[in-house]
C-alpha cells in the first residue's frame, strides 16, 4: 500500500506550503513510503482529490485544500487530522499501516494489550483464591470475618425511622393502660363505699 499526498507545488499560500512540508517531512522521518501528486500542474489529480474527499471533511466552500492524504483509494485525512494523530503518536493508525516493531506507537499498543490481559488475569486469580479460602473455612467449620460482615444485617435509615416511630406508640399504650387501671380502681373504691353506706343504713 502506498501513501498518496495530494499537494500544490506552486501554491501562493504560505500556510498551505508549511502544512505540506510538515506532512512530507514527517513521513520521510518515519521512512514511510509515499508519493506526491501535484494538483497545481495536473488537472486529473486535482479532480480526483476533490471527488474522493468525504463530504463531511470538505470546507464550507466545498473545495478541499491541500495537503490531502490517502492510502491508495482510502481517505486518511487532511493536515488537521494528521497533526492530531501525530500528537497522539497514532500516525500509523491514521495512515492505515501497521506500526513497525520498536516504534512508540507499537510500544503503546503492546503496553495497552499487556495491561488489559494482565488486569484480567489478576482478577481471575483473586477470585479463585477467595473462593478457595471460603471452601477451606467451611470445611474447618470456621466462618470468614469478611463473610460475617457481609452476612450481618445492615440497619437502614428506613428501619431506624420505623423504630423511632414505634417508641412513641409504646409510650402512649403504657399511659392509656395506666389511666384505665386508675379508672377501674376508682370505680372499685366507689362500689365499696356504696356497699358500706348501705350496710350502715340497714343497721
Amino acid at each position: 500500500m502506498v501513501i498518496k499526498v495530494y499537494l500544490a507545488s506552486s501554491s501562493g499560500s504560505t500556510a498551505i506550503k508549511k502544512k505540506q512540508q510538515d506532512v512530507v517531512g514527517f513521513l520521510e522521518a518515519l521512512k514511510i513510503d509515499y508519493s506526491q501528486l501535484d494538483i497545481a500542474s495536473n488537472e486529473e489529480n486535482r479532480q480526483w482529490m476533490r471527488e474522493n474527499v468525504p463530504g463531511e471533511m470538505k470546507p464550507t466552500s466545498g473545495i478541499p485544500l491541500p495537503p490531502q492524504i490517502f492510502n491508495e483509494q482510502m481517505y486518511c485525512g487532511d493536515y488537521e487530522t494528521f497533526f492530531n494523530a501525530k500528537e497522539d503518536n497514532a500516525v500509523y493508525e491514521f495512515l492505515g499501516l501497521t506500526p513497525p516493531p520498536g516504534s512508540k506507537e507499537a510500544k503503546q499498543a503492546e503496553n495497552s494489550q499487556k495491561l488489559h490481559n494482565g488486569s484480567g488475569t489478576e482478577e481471575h486469580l483473586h477470585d479463585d483464591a477467595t473462593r478457595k479460602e471460603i471452601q477451606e473455612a467451611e470445611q474447618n467449620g470456621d466462618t470468614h470475618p469478611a463473610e460475617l460482615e457481609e452476612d450481618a444485617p445492615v440497619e437502614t435509615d428506613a428501619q431506624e425511622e420505623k423504630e423511632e416511630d414505634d417508641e412513641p406508640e409504646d409510650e402512649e399504650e403504657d399511659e392509656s393502660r395506666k389511666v384505665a387501671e386508675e379508672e377501674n380502681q376508682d370505680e372499685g373504691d366507689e362500689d365499696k363505699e356504696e356497699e358500706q353506706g348501705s350496710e350502715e343504713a340497714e343497721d
Side-chain angles (χ1 to χ4, degrees), residues 11-22 66-67 79:
S11 175
S13 171
T14 305
I16 289 178
K17 286 181 178 179
K18 185 179 183 304
K19 291 176 180 179
Q20 292 176 164
Q21 291 171 357
D22 286 348
Y79 175 77

Side-chain angles (χ1 to χ4, degrees), residues 39-51:
I39 65 171
S41 60
N42 190 313
E43 183 62 27
E44 186 178 344
N45 289 341
R46 181 199 298 268
Q47 193 67 27
W48 193 93
M49 182 195 78
R50 291 182 177 181
E51 291 177 355

Side-chain angles (χ1 to χ4, degrees), residues 120-136:
T121 304
E122 289 176 1
E123 291 177 359
H124 181 69
L125 291 174
H126 177 71
D127 292 341
D128 289 345
T130 304
R131 193 178 297 108
K132 186 176 181 181
E133 289 179 2
I134 294 173
Q135 290 176 350
E136 291 178 354

Side-chain angles (χ1 to χ4, degrees), residues 2 4 48 52 70-75:
V2 178
K4 298 178 181 179
W48 193 93
N52 288 276
F70 290 80
N71 184 336
E72 295 293 351
Q73 309 296 320
M74 182 186 71
Y75 180 70

Side-chain angles (χ1 to χ4, degrees), residues 120-175:
T121 304
E122 289 176 1
E123 291 177 359
H124 181 69
L125 291 174
H126 177 71
D127 292 341
D128 289 345
T130 304
R131 193 178 297 108
K132 186 176 181 181
E133 289 179 2
I134 294 173
Q135 290 176 350
E136 291 178 354
E138 290 177 349
Q139 291 175 357
N140 296 332
D142 300 330
T143 304
H144 198 277
E147 288 179 278
L148 289 174
E149 294 178 1
E150 292 178 357
D151 295 339
V154 179
E155 192 172 55
T156 62
D157 294 339
Q159 290 175 333
E160 292 178 356
E161 292 177 0
K162 186 177 180 181
E163 290 178 359
E164 291 176 358
D165 293 340
D166 291 343
E167 290 177 0
E169 292 181 0
D170 294 339
E171 293 177 358
E172 291 177 0
E173 290 179 359
D174 292 340
E175 290 179 0

